[in-house]
Amino acid sequence: MSEDLTGLRKLTNKKIDKSLEIVAKDKKYLARAIGLKYFPLVVARADGSKVWDMDGNEYIDFLTSAAVYNVGHRNPRVVKAIKEQVDKFLNYTVVYLYAEPCVKLAEKLISITPGNFDKKVTYGFSGSDGVDSAVKVARAYTRRRFILSFYGSYHGMTYGALSTTGIVSENLKASVFPLAGIEYAHFPDPYRNKWGIDGYEHPDELTSRALKEIEDKIKEHASDVAGLLVEPIQGDAGVVVPPAEFIKGIRELADTYGFSLIDEEVQTGIGRTGKFWAIEHFNVVPDILVSAKALGGGMPISAVIGRSDMMDSVPSPLLVFTHAGHAVSASAALATIEAVEDEKLVDRASETGEYIIRRLREMQDKFDIIGDVRGKGLLIGVEIVRKGKEPDRQGALKICWRAWEKGLILISFGRNGNVLRIAPPLNISKEDVDRALDIIESSIREFLEGKIPDGVLDYLKGW
């Protein structure tokens, strides 16, 4: 074990020796840019809302592999669909021939996405390539260049998606020369925004300022705006829920100026926010919708669903991937959607989310370091602050470390890295929820009592 990891071992009484062996090899063999590591947790097994590490430690999962396992780890319906498809064939490219699973999935996606108009679907493997494809569609259809995005947004790490991502600093992106033709505006964060407006008290004023900034950007580029890319609820920015009228406002701008509204539902979709798609909270219909993460129930797949005329504006072969609509992943995705529908997981997400937010706001009354609690369904953010709303990234990281020691997978994220990220499976039990919330409360208390050593910060990269 390296001296670096020996130091880590001294910071906890938790049994982690087997995990540290893999951590050491990870550091040696994997490129450092693939991760933002938090704890020395090496996953050995997962089931439902629980994860076990190489050392046999059990955890309640409040991260779900970055909001992937909406239907729980190894959901029986999903596993069954995967096994049945594997027994038939793994995949055959639909670039040249045809396959049933991706056609059935496309038919289902068209039926459950907003909009009573003709739609078509294209596939990829991650949210990143889904965003790339959506940008291709918007540009091909409008024959325009510029894409409007938002500061604080996270859209992925392929070239197109990275270029539209607003949470990564321009200095970092400059090292790989991102694509041109992207403009950013400020997302209307009710708690923390550039205008200093209390958006909870004055949502109309905040909405007006944000929409004016976007319209100014549109006018700056005359008639060369192809699309506006938006997360209806910003995820990695720290679960930022905009005022209700804002999403309606950008729909109106898209209609007025003739560009495409791209709804990026990679993190917020498949029931996560207490609606099947987060944009449904705002009663807005997008032109193009991007889904990934939870769509495959753990298998890699993305889908872009859009107006047929828009989707067909892209000339062949510009949406081609050899394994697009992979038969195993498409089968898993169909089973995932069926599980969400049959188990009424959208309703469960809404009900459980309301309960968690209520408990967290009770903690907010006890602890001044909780500046804001926000979210929809089971996408929830808890902002950790010092006096005067100053973001406390180190405090958030320490709380996450102690939660890990106590048996809860909890990480921090956000524009300032100070927001606790709560995104458990939608079918998590009440017992696991209560246990996890008790761990969060005790971890906050122990942080305030100074019981978490500063040394842990050397091993918590995080956002």
Side-chain angles (χ1 to χ4, degrees):
M1 189 187 305
S2 69
E3 181 59 37
D4 178 54
L5 294 182
T6 300
L8 186 155
R9 182 69 190 85
K10 294 176 181 177
L11 289 167
T12 182
N13 293 322
K14 198 172 186 69
K15 186 171 65 172
I16 57 172
D17 289 338
K18 289 182 180 178
S19 293
L20 287 181
E21 292 176 10
I22 302 300
V23 171
K25 291 182 178 181
D26 180 291
K27 290 178 176 292
K28 181 176 181 180
Y29 297 124
L30 298 185
R32 66 178 181 175
I34 71 166
L36 300 163
K37 307 291 190 179
Y38 284 82
F39 341 100
L41 193 168
V42 179
V43 177
R45 184 166 64 91
D47 190 68
S49 59
K50 298 284 184 64
V51 170
W52 291 263
D53 68 17
M54 295 284 289
D55 295 275
N57 299 303
E58 181 182 289
Y59 304 88
I60 299 169
D61 192 359
F62 258 30
L63 174 60
T64 53
S65 194
V68 165
Y69 292 101
N70 287 13
V71 296
H73 294 279
R74 298 176 61 249
N75 181 282
R77 187 189 295 249
V78 175
V79 172
K80 181 174 182 286
I82 291 169
K83 288 180 176 178
E84 288 178 353
Q85 183 57 47
V86 166
D87 284 343
K88 297 174 184 176
F89 66 99
L90 294 180
N91 190 54
Y92 201 98
T93 181
V94 296
V95 176
Y96 303 120
L97 301 179
Y98 302 88
E100 183 181 31
C102 69
V103 174
K104 290 176 66 176
L105 176 60
E107 185 177 21
K108 184 65 175 178
L109 287 168
I110 286 167
S111 74
I112 64 173
T113 46
N116 295 317
F117 42 75
D118 289 341
K119 305 170 197 166
K120 287 193 174 181
V121 177
T122 190
Y123 293 112
F125 313 98
S126 71
S128 299
D129 64 43
V131 168
D132 284 3
S133 292
V135 168
K136 290 177 188 176
V137 171
R139 284 176 164 172
Y141 181 74
T142 62
R143 312 301 291 175
R144 300 175 186 175
R145 178 186 181 202
F146 281 93
I147 298 295
L148 300 178
S149 186
F150 291 95
Y151 295 110
S153 62
Y154 182 87
H155 297 299
M157 288 294 128
T158 53
Y159 254 103
L162 173 62
S163 302
T164 63
T165 289
I167 200 169
V168 177
S169 76
E170 292 304 310
N171 286 339
L172 279 179
K173 286 195 283 190
S175 66
V176 295
F177 303 98
L179 303 180
I182 313 297
E183 287 285 344
Y184 294 96
H186 287 85
F187 198 77
D189 180 346
Y191 181 71
R192 191 186 296 281
N193 58 74
K194 80 165 198 172
W195 302 283
I197 298 168
D198 184 335
Y200 296 124
E201 291 290 328
H202 307 288
D204 292 344
E205 182 182 357
L206 179 60
T207 296
S208 177
R209 292 287 189 93
L211 291 175
K212 182 180 185 305
E213 181 177 295
I214 295 167
E215 190 163 21
D216 288 345
K217 293 280 185 183
I218 296 168
K219 291 177 179 177
E220 181 182 335
H221 295 288
S223 58
D224 202 22
V225 175
L228 185 150
L229 176 63
V230 64
E231 302 161 274
I233 298 170
Q234 280 197 333
D236 287 21
V239 191
V240 179
V241 183
E245 294 302 310
F246 174 72
I247 303 297
K248 293 179 182 176
I250 59 176
R251 174 71 270 179
E252 291 170 4
L253 288 174
D255 293 338
T256 299
Y257 290 96
F259 57 80
S260 304
L261 179 60
I262 305 169
D263 175 21
E264 203 266 58
E265 297 266 3
V266 173
Q267 184 167 185
T268 57
I270 320 297
R272 169 60 56 188
T273 69
K275 298 282 188 182
F276 211 102
W277 310 104
I279 203 163
E280 293 175 314
H281 287 288
F282 307 101
N283 296 313
V284 166
V285 175
D287 301 304
I288 302 165
L289 185 149
V290 183
S291 179
K293 279 191 185 289
L295 176 61
M299 295 297 290
I301 188 169
S302 65
V304 179
I305 308 97
R307 294 178 178 270
S308 293
D309 54 343
M310 292 186 175
M311 300 297 285
D312 280 341
S313 70
V314 182
S316 296
L318 300 188
L319 294 176
V320 160
F321 298 107
T322 300
H323 286 296
H326 192 284
V328 177
S329 293
S331 299
L334 267 171
T336 298
I337 293 169
E338 290 167 359
V340 171
E341 291 178 331
D342 292 350
E343 297 174 28
K344 302 189 184 326
L345 296 188
V346 174
D347 291 339
R348 285 190 62 177
S350 181
E351 293 164 5
T352 306
E354 288 176 3
Y355 173 74
I356 291 175
I357 287 174
R358 185 166 66 251
R359 285 276 315 263
L360 290 168
R361 286 183 174 152
E362 290 170 0
M363 293 183 209
Q364 188 177 16
D365 291 337
K366 299 177 187 177
F367 305 119
D368 291 341
I369 65 167
I370 298 179
D372 196 24
V373 175
R374 54 189 180 248
K376 294 282 189 183
L378 286 173
L379 184 63
I380 299 167
V382 181
E383 184 144 350
I384 304 300
V385 299
R386 301 186 186 93
K387 186 179 294 185
K389 287 174 64 171
E390 180 185 354
D392 189 357
R393 178 177 182 273
Q394 292 187 349
L397 285 170
K398 284 186 172 184
I399 291 165
C400 291
W401 174 275
R402 185 49 51 89
W404 162 70
E405 290 187 301
K406 292 172 177 285
L408 174 66
I409 301 175
L410 175 74
I411 71 165
S412 57
F413 66 169
R415 286 176 297 162
N416 301 294
N418 69 313
V419 179
L420 305 182
R421 179 181 191 170
I422 295 177
L426 309 189
N427 51 8
I428 189 171
S429 70
K430 174 74 159 43
E431 179 184 10
D432 283 347
V433 166
D434 281 330
R435 173 66 183 140
L437 292 171
D438 288 345
I439 288 173
I440 291 173
E441 182 164 2
S442 64
S443 298
I444 291 173
R445 196 178 301 279
E446 290 178 29
F447 163 66
L448 291 172
E449 293 170 353
K451 293 181 177 179
I452 307 171
D454 291 341
V456 305
L457 298 171
D458 295 332
Y459 301 94
L460 289 162
K461 184 172 178 60
W463 280 98

